Amino acid sequence: MSQSYDVIVIGGGPGGYVAAIRCAQLGMKTACIEKWQDDRGKTVLGGTCLNVGCIPSKALLDSSHQFENITRHAKEHGIVVESARIDVGQMLKRKDKIVKILTTGIAGLFKKHRITLLEGTGSLVSNRQVTITASDGSVQHVSAKSIIIATGSVPAILPQAPVDHERIVDSTGALAFTEVPEKLGVIGAGVIGLELGSVWRRLGSEVTVIEALETFMPAADQEIAEAARKELIRQGLHIQLGAKMTRCETRGGKVRIHYEQDGEKHDLEVDKLIVAIGRKPNTAGLRAEVVGLKIDDRGFIETDGQCRTHLENVYAIGDVTHGPMLAHKAMEEGVAVAELIDGQKPEFDHDNIPWVVYTWPEIAWAGKTEQQLRSEGREIRVGNFPFMANGRARAMNDTAGLVKMIGDAKTDELLGVHVFGPNASELISEAVLALSFESSTEDIARTIHAHPTLSEAMHEAALAVDGRMLHL
Ligand code: FAD
Ligand code: NAI
């Protein structure tokens, strides 16, 4: 007889494991199916985010940031470092240790909440039944009153640059280079290209980023994107916009990239090439077609905006369904879907999902851009405040960037906040909270911000909306 559960979650990434925890908290008998194995063949939870995404990339971003501070900026502080070199092996070991601690932590949370981990690939049999095929080929049948699909995403493939995991890699390979490539090419000036390009540039690579679009970071506010582009170029990143890659070949241990830009042909020889042109929803092995699950032409599972698929009792969350491919979006959907199954009426604010790019300075935003609002015909007021005029940023020697705040010209409702600056990833939470509470820019202007903090730049940008900043 097959085991039966209240809820089966397929996929144990941030969407799936959070959904499982919340279901268990609400008293549901919960199982989670996961197929990810570490290099020793042990099943690990955490999905892309913990194993090859958010966490390992931030571990390397932090190591390389510290290296750059020591090698380039220590002197300004009066710290004399005679010689500093990077031990890539140790840097990777630290990253792997962090991943292990966190993935083991999720396994511990599963035990705490009595969630059953089913190891293998989950495939749908019906809207209540799933089979699990383990790595040894054995098959198990389980059933549930509800099924949550959280199977995530995988890197998109570029036929002109097939990943060989040696010279041409995807983001996973770029987190594991065993030495600093002398010359590094990156296809795609998106989030991964900028973050991982920055990591290896800081460690000494000459990095060229080849981007097909003419516009840098089209999703970001263009004033902020332009400030970021200039600063990243100043730091040494070569960014080629409007560059169409035609082909590439690997020869003599090098990769030769051919691309066209402004009607001219170029080639570039690099030691490694990272392909980072986006990610695709992952429904491989799910046998969605067997149960007739609706999938759109880009591969996303279709949902009704509340994570319900068109099959009764079957839900989809995270990267495999519409919306930004972000871990915090997946997690919030995980919570919402568990509460929905429990009969509650959860709210999920899809309009106020923050975006962060963890370059240094960081880029972060929430709400709408000036370009979006103007194209909608909204009358707006904009307040900018540069970190140059912020005392704490001065004390930190981190004065590049600005905060930009946008409010409605008549009602003063806060409509968007865009930050390029130190710790923008942390600063943006205040904006998300204010947007969620439908605050005015005046609300932020009237809020006391501790001195001296970077958050005072948020305060000043809010004052600037009304033309009354105090320190500029
Ligand atoms: P995933 O994390 O992809 O998890 C899906 C899980 O399902 C996987 O463990 C997979 O093995 C399992 N699975 C798939 N199919 C089956 C099946 N049939 N049976 C059983 N198991 C299955 N986002 C951020 O918000 N911030 C960041 O800083 C950030 N950095 C990133 C850096 C990199 C390099 C990358 C690649 C991504 C980054 N992301 C970041 C994106 C983030 O990792 C994803 O948005 C997030 O992991 C999505 O969560 P998910 O649960 O939907 O899917
Ligand atoms: P992306 O969508 O952010 O960027 C891909 C870039 O590649 C785009 O600028 C696109 O125009 C360009 N491109 C596409 N095809 C190309 C081609 N043939 N030649 C040249 N350029 C081409 O995707 P990316 O960087 O791969 O990241 C995938 C997703 O992972 C992100 O969208 C994001 O959701 C998530 N992520 C989030 C992070 C964060 O929150 N800090 C960090 C890393 C990833």
Side-chain angles (χ1 to χ4, degrees):
M1 217 182 68
S2 74
Q3 262 297 347
S4 71
Y5 296 90
D6 292 320
V7 179
I8 289 175
V9 185
I10 308 179
Y17 82 70
V18 166
I21 290 172
R22 187 74 188 115
C23 285
Q25 279 177 343
L26 291 166
M28 296 177 233
K29 186 182 172 192
T30 308
C32 179
I33 308 172
E34 179 52 68
K35 65 174 184 183
W36 199 298
Q37 294 187 333
D38 64 14
D39 44 16
R40 291 197 207 136
K42 190 174 176 296
T43 302
V44 282
L45 291 160
T48 304
C49 171
L50 265 63
N51 290 289
V52 294
C54 323
I55 297 299
S57 61
K58 268 76 238 174
L60 296 191
L61 276 156
D62 196 65
S63 296
S64 58
H65 186 54
Q66 303 227 20
F67 181 71
E68 188 160 59
N69 275 340
I70 291 166
T71 51
R72 287 206 185 179
H73 307 302
K75 227 190 277 167
E76 298 151 20
H77 290 269
I79 303 167
V80 181
V81 182
E82 295 297 347
S83 70
R85 63 177 186 86
I86 189 77
D87 175 348
V88 176
Q90 170 56 25
M91 181 182 74
L92 297 185
K93 230 191 257 172
R94 188 190 86 98
K95 173 206 68 170
D96 294 340
K97 191 173 163 200
I98 294 163
V99 168
K100 187 146 197 254
I101 290 171
L102 292 178
T103 53
T104 312
I106 308 293
L109 289 174
F110 270 31
K111 281 210 183 88
K112 175 181 163 190
H113 291 285
R114 297 181 199 286
I115 298 162
T116 306
L117 171 62
L118 301 167
E119 302 180 28
T121 301
S123 308
L124 296 163
V125 177
S126 72
N127 66 337
R128 289 188 185 272
Q129 287 175 306
V130 179
T131 61
I132 302 125
T133 310
S135 53
D136 64 4
S138 60
V139 178
Q140 198 185 147
H141 302 268
V142 287
S143 60
K145 292 178 195 152
S146 303
I147 296 171
I148 302 171
I149 302 171
T151 48
S153 64
V154 288
I157 289 165
L158 183 63
Q160 302 96 301
V163 167
D164 61 12
H165 304 290
E166 182 54 42
R167 295 277 153 198
I168 307 179
V169 300
D170 56 21
S171 56
T172 302
L175 292 168
F177 290 152
T178 50
E179 55 187 49
V180 180
E182 206 174 301
K183 289 192 175 181
L184 174 65
V186 184
I187 309 290
V191 205
I192 292 179
L194 295 178
E195 289 186 4
L196 295 183
S198 294
V199 165
W200 295 104
R201 183 207 52 76
R202 291 169 189 168
L203 301 178
S205 281
E206 186 179 339
V207 182
T208 306
V209 185
I210 294 175
E211 166 60 48
L213 297 178
E214 298 280 355
T215 311
F216 183 66
M217 299 194 65
D221 185 278
Q222 281 306 293
E223 189 178 1
I224 295 289
E226 188 49 19
R229 190 185 69 84
K230 283 194 180 138
E231 173 61 19
L232 293 174
I233 289 173
R234 196 197 61 76
Q235 292 173 2
L237 212 59
H238 304 295
I239 302 173
Q240 304 294 347
L241 297 178
K244 190 171 177 295
M245 185 197 169
T246 46
R247 65 192 166 89
C248 75
E249 70 246 5
T250 358
R251 209 184 301 144
K254 307 264 179 198
V255 186
R256 183 165 282 275
I257 308 156
H258 303 268
Y259 66 95
E260 288 175 13
Q261 193 183 30
D262 299 327
E264 280 183 27
K265 291 195 164 108
H266 299 264
D267 31 290
L268 174 73
E269 193 172 79
V270 293
D271 301 289
K272 301 269 185 193
L273 176 64
I274 306 173
V275 179
I277 57 156
R279 293 179 62 84
K280 289 217 163 276
N282 174 30
T283 49
L286 201 57
R287 282 197 232 136
E289 64 291 349
V290 172
V291 288
L293 199 65
K294 270 196 192 156
I295 291 180
D296 75 10
D297 48 12
R298 291 166 61 218
F300 290 98
I301 296 179
E302 288 191 3
T303 52
D304 64 354
Q306 277 209 298
C307 305
R308 292 186 194 90
T309 70
H310 78 291
L311 288 179
E312 214 182 337
N313 320 312
V314 180
Y315 304 82
I317 59 172
D319 283 10
V320 78
T321 187
H322 301 133
M325 289 183 165
L326 297 173
H328 41 283
K329 176 260 192 186
M331 290 195 226
E332 278 313 302
E333 284 183 342
V335 170
V337 87
E339 293 177 355
L340 195 67
I341 293 169
D342 187 52
Q344 302 180 31
K345 290 187 178 145
E347 286 262 335
F348 183 93
D349 191 356
H350 279 96
D351 291 335
N352 289 322
I353 301 171
W355 270 93
V356 180
V357 187
Y358 296 82
T359 48
W360 195 268
E362 295 174 335
I363 307 160
W365 70 90
K368 293 192 174 173
T369 65
E370 181 174 352
Q371 293 71 41
Q372 277 172 319
L373 291 161
R374 296 223 185 268
S375 71
E376 286 170 12
R378 285 288 286 257
E379 279 182 45
I380 54 174
R381 290 197 303 172
V382 177
N384 283 1
F385 191 80
F387 281 100
M388 225 170 49
N390 173 272
R392 186 65 185 277
R394 275 270 164 219
M396 290 164 66
N397 257 5
D398 254 321
T399 51
L402 71 155
V403 176
K404 173 170 181 171
M405 213 166 273
I406 311 175
D408 185 281
K410 287 200 188 84
T411 65
D412 193 38
E413 182 188 350
L414 180 67
L415 300 172
V417 180
H418 307 270
V419 187
F420 174 53
N423 292 355
S425 57
E426 304 291 346
L427 295 176
I428 203 65
S429 291
E430 175 181 11
V432 179
L433 189 67
L435 285 160
S436 308
F437 280 29
E438 295 176 7
S439 307
S440 59
T441 71
E442 186 66 14
D443 287 328
I444 298 180
R446 295 273 166 201
T447 301
I448 301 171
H449 291 70
H451 176 75
T453 59
L454 297 170
S455 73
E456 286 176 290
M458 299 283 278
H459 183 227
E460 290 275 5
L463 289 167
V465 171
D466 193 39
R468 53 177 221 264
M469 62 270 210
L470 297 165
H471 291 90
L472 198 70

